[in-house]
Amino acid sequence: MDPVAGAVTEARELVHFVTQQTRFALINNILQHPKQLPSMYELEELNPSVSEATVYKHIQKLIDAGIVREVPLDDDQRRQGYPWKFYGLTVEGREFLDDHNLLTAEETLQQIYETISDKPEKMVKYENAPRPDDA
């Protein structure tokens, strides 16, 4: 296969991969988060119909594909009772999504997120938790 055809096939497969229902929901959850760095708990809360194990598995697949990255807090910033690992898009992941018109609803997603009024107290606490500075 010539390199151009291979790249097109690879891009098509990656679009199919990221638009799988659960993975695309997780990407949208990241995009809609106020700091675009939700914790695993927040991702689980935003996907109540999906098991915690499934959320984790799909986040790992997105990390392996280079779309999402795990962003830990530095040891000196960690506080007991608060999350210390967060999930955000990689630069390459954001570029890929943008190149394939998969970021067009980003602003709308953020507006929808702001209207969620029945968030559990723990989710509000986690949402306001310190996030890594370099993210």
Side-chain angles (χ1 to χ4, degrees):
M1 185 184 305
D2 73 75
V4 173
V8 169
T9 300
E10 191 175 303
R12 188 177 303 126
E13 288 171 1
L14 191 53
V15 167
H16 181 72
F17 173 82
V18 300
T19 57
Q20 181 277 341
Q21 185 177 357
T22 302
R23 289 189 283 268
F24 199 57
L26 292 168
I27 289 169
N28 285 329
N29 296 152
I30 291 169
L31 290 171
Q32 72 184 155
H33 189 271
K35 297 196 171 69
Q36 294 193 345
L37 280 176
S39 63
M40 185 60 68
Y41 172 78
E42 291 167 286
L43 293 170
E44 292 164 357
E45 280 294 309
L46 291 166
N47 295 280
S49 64
V50 180
S51 74
E52 292 176 9
T54 300
V55 170
Y56 181 80
K57 179 180 80 172
H58 283 288
I59 281 293
Q60 282 306 129
K61 287 181 177 190
L62 288 165
I63 289 169
D64 293 345
I67 301 296
V68 169
R69 65 190 178 119
E70 186 178 272
V71 187
L73 270 176
D74 290 336
D75 289 345
D76 62 339
Q77 291 181 297
R78 295 180 188 181
R79 299 199 341 237
Q80 190 169 356
Y82 286 89
W84 59 272
K85 264 199 254 183
F86 305 94
Y87 300 89
L89 294 179
T90 62
V91 171
E92 299 80 12
R94 177 172 277 285
E95 287 173 0
F96 178 82
L97 295 170
D98 192 32
D99 289 347
H100 293 87
N101 297 317
L102 297 172
L103 291 178
T104 55
E106 184 173 6
E107 196 173 313
T108 305
L109 289 167
Q110 290 170 353
Q111 290 168 352
I112 291 168
Y113 187 88
E114 289 171 15
T115 67
I116 301 172
S117 59
D118 59 345
K119 293 179 198 167
E121 191 177 319
K122 182 177 177 182
M123 187 162 167
V124 173
K125 175 183 171 181
Y126 276 33
E127 189 179 289
N128 293 308
R131 296 295 196 274
D133 298 328
D134 67 343

